[in-house]
Amino acid sequence: MNIASDFKVQRPAFLSEHPKELFIDGKWTPAISGETFETINPSNGQVLARIAAGAAPDVAMAASAARRAFEGPWSHFTPYERQACILKLADLVDRHFDELSLLDSLEMGAPLSRLRANSHKRAIGRLRFYAGLATAIHGQTIENSASREMFTYTAREPIGVVGAIIPWNAPLTSAIWKIGPALATGCTVVLKPAEQASLSCLRLAELIIEAGVPSGVVNVITGFGESAGAALAQHADVDKIAFTGSHFVGQKIIQASAGNLKRVTLELGGKSPDIVFADADLDKAVMGAAMGVFGNTGQVCCAGTRLFVERSIYDEFIARVAKFGSDLVVGDGLDPKTQIGPVVSKEQLDRILSYIQIGLDEGATTLSGGKRMLDAPLANGYFLPPTVFGSVKDDMRIVREEIFGPVVCAIPFDTMDEVERRANATPFGLGSGIWTRDVKKVHRLAKSIKAGSVWVNCYNVMDPAVPFGGNKLSGYGREGGVEHVDDYLNTKSVWINYN
Ligand code: ADP
C-alpha cells in the first residue's frame, strides 16, 4: 500500500476570518440555543472549527426569511435577472474554487487534486446549466374542447420555499444541485448541510449574496439531522424537500413531510451492479470497475459495489482489481499525491469495519484491504484501504446492504439470464455498469436493469444535462437534465373565456 506524506498544509482564511454561524436573511446568526459542535478533519482527527448547532427555532427563522424573500424582492426578478445572478455565482465559485475545495477536502477528506479537477468542472458546469434553464421555463397554450370561444394556457410557477438537506460526500456540488434549480425557477432555500461538512456551504452562502441574490433567498442552517434536519422536513411553511442521503432518513422525511403534503424528491443510496463480460476491454474495465467503487473512498451513492465478473475471467480480473486498489495512494486529502483520502468520520470508519467483520463472519474472504491503516502518518486519521471481497453469496449482508466505504463484493456469473436476474435482485436501483464489446449484451441489459443510470464501458460519469436519480429504495425525482426544474415548479392552468 502506498502512503502519501510530506506536503505543505494550507489553512483557508475562512476558518479564522468568518463566523461559523447560521446564515439567515443574509446575516451571520448564532443558534438561538447558543449551542455549537465541532467539525473534525478526518485525515488527522483534529478539530477544524466550532459550528452553530441550529434546531427547530432557527429553522423557523430561516423559513420565514425564505418566505419573505420569496414573496418580496426575489419575486420581482425577471428570468433574465435570475440568470445573470447564477452566471455571476458561477464566476465567483470559479474564482474562489481553491478555497471552497480546500474547505471540502479538510472537512470530508476528499483528495484536493481530484476536487480541483472533477468537482470544479461539476460545480461550475451545473451552475451554468441552471442559468441556461432560468430563461427557458415556459408553459403551453392548449386548445381545449370545452368551448370554441375559450382557450387555456399553463404557467409554470416556483413552488416556494425549498428545504434542501444534503450529505457530506460531495458538499459543494450537492448544495449546487439543490440551489441551482431553486435560483433558476425563483424558489428560495433553507439549506441543511451534513453535520460532518458544513464549511463550503457557509462560504457559498456568502458568495450567493455577492452574486446579487437578495438576502433570505438562500439560508443555511448547520446542525444535526435529528434536530435541524427533522425540523426542516416537518416545517409547515416549507413547500418542498430536496433530500440526498440514506434511504432510512428518506423514509423519515416522507413521514415528516406529510403534515403539509410537501413535494419531496429523494436521491438515496444504492447497491449498484457493475457487470464485466469476458469480451470487454479488460484494461479499461479493471480501472473503471475499481474507481467505480474506490473513488471518493467508496462514499458515493451510485458506487458499483456488486462487481459481477464472467466466470472465465473471474480469478484474473478480481486479482487485477485488488492490485489496482492496493496500488492507489492513500493519504491526507491535502497531499497532492493522494488518490484515496480517509473516510469521513470515526463513526463511518467503525460502521465500515463492522461490515467487513460481518462479511468475514458470513464466510467471505478478503483479497485485499480489510483493516484500518494505523501506521504513521495515517494513525490519527480514519483510513481504510480499498477492500475486495471474494467467496461471497447473494444473501450475505455485505452483498445486500449499502456499506458506503471502499469495499467491493466480487461475484462470478455464467450466463446472461443469470446475471440479469442477480443484478436486479436488490431493493435499490441507482447506478449500474456494463463492460463488453458486444452490442447485443449492451442493449439487452441497458433495457432490463432496473436503475436510474446505466454506464456502458465507463462508470459514474456525470454531466449537468443528463438526469441522475434512482428507482425503488434509491428514491425518486431526477437531478440534472432539463426535467430537474419541474420539481421546483407548479403548473397553473388558466382558462380564458372570450365569449
Ligand atoms: P449519510 O448516511 O450519507 O450520512 P444520512 O441520510 O444519515 O446520510 O444524512 C444525510 C443528511 O440528512 C444529513 O444532512 C443529515 O444531517 C440529515 N438527517 C439525518 N437524520 C435526519 C432526519 N431525521 N430528518 C432530516 N434530516 C436528517
Side-chain angles (χ1 to χ4, degrees), residues 164-169 192-196 223-233 243-250 252-253 256 268 344 348 351 402 404:
I165 304 179
I166 59 168
W168 39 261
N169 57 340
K192 212 298 277 172
E195 47 272 44
Q196 299 85 348
F224 295 97
E226 310 78 56
S227 45
L232 188 55
F243 174 74
T244 302
S246 65
H247 74 279
F248 300 108
V249 175
K252 288 187 193 173
I253 292 211
L268 309 176
V344 72
Q348 187 64 13
R351 191 169 169 273
E402 185 176 42
F404 223 61

Side-chain angles (χ1 to χ4, degrees), residues 457-478:
N457 296 326
C458 58
Y459 203 88
N460 194 12
V461 186
M462 296 266 186
D463 185 273
V466 181
F468 177 79
N471 307 335
K472 305 195 274 179
L473 272 191
S474 297
Y476 44 76
R478 293 290 179 268

Side-chain angles (χ1 to χ4, degrees), residues 215-454:
S215 297
V217 172
V218 176
N219 308 274
V220 182
I221 298 291
T222 47
F224 295 97
E226 310 78 56
S227 45
L232 188 55
Q234 70 185 34
H235 194 283
D237 203 25
V238 171
D239 301 291
K240 168 189 162 71
I241 294 288
F243 174 74
T244 302
S246 65
H247 74 279
F248 300 108
V249 175
Q251 288 164 332
K252 288 187 193 173
I253 292 211
I254 294 173
Q255 286 165 353
S257 70
N260 65 332
L261 293 181
K262 289 180 185 65
R263 192 95 71 87
V264 176
T265 45
L266 303 167
E267 199 266 271
L268 309 176
K271 197 74 193 176
S272 300
D274 198 3
I275 303 169
V276 183
F277 289 93
D279 65 25
D281 176 336
L282 296 184
D283 291 342
K284 276 197 190 142
V286 165
M287 184 169 80
M291 291 315 287
V293 68
F294 301 141
N296 212 33
T297 325
Q299 303 165 118
V300 176
C301 48
C302 57
T305 47
R306 289 183 300 142
L307 180 58
F308 291 95
V309 184
E310 197 163 1
R311 195 177 299 277
S312 59
I313 56 160
Y314 178 82
D315 288 336
E316 180 206 337
F317 190 84
I318 64 166
R320 287 181 68 186
V321 169
K323 170 148 186 1
F324 189 97
S326 302
D327 287 346
L328 291 169
V329 180
V330 179
D332 191 309
L334 300 194
D335 189 319
K337 293 190 289 304
T338 292
Q339 293 169 295
I340 302 288
V343 297
V344 72
S345 62
K346 175 75 169 51
E347 188 191 6
Q348 187 64 13
L349 177 74
D350 289 344
R351 191 169 169 273
I352 301 167
L353 287 171
S354 82
Y355 265 111
I356 290 173
Q357 192 55 50
I358 289 167
L360 295 171
D361 293 345
E362 284 180 323
T365 49
T366 48
L367 278 90
S368 62
K371 291 202 171 66
R372 181 176 178 182
M373 300 170 78
L374 282 166
D375 291 337
L378 307 187
N380 297 322
Y382 314 130
F383 292 94
L384 190 65
T387 298
V388 179
F389 266 118
S391 311
V392 298
K393 299 209 171 58
D394 291 7
D395 60 354
M396 289 180 176
R397 284 185 61 193
I398 54 168
V399 179
R400 288 185 291 118
E401 297 174 20
E402 185 176 42
I403 299 174
F404 223 61
V407 182
V408 64
C409 292
I411 309 165
F413 72 90
D414 293 296
T415 68
M416 181 66 146
D417 286 348
E418 175 203 344
V419 77
E420 206 167 45
R421 178 178 49 75
R422 292 171 76 191
N424 280 329
T426 169
F428 297 102
L430 192 56
S432 60
I434 306 165
W435 299 86
T436 179
R437 290 186 168 102
D438 182 344
V439 73
K440 281 195 216 147
K441 291 177 187 147
V442 169
H443 284 296
R444 179 167 159 184
L445 281 172
K447 189 159 183 199
S448 63
I449 286 182
K450 294 181 176 56
S453 297
V454 181

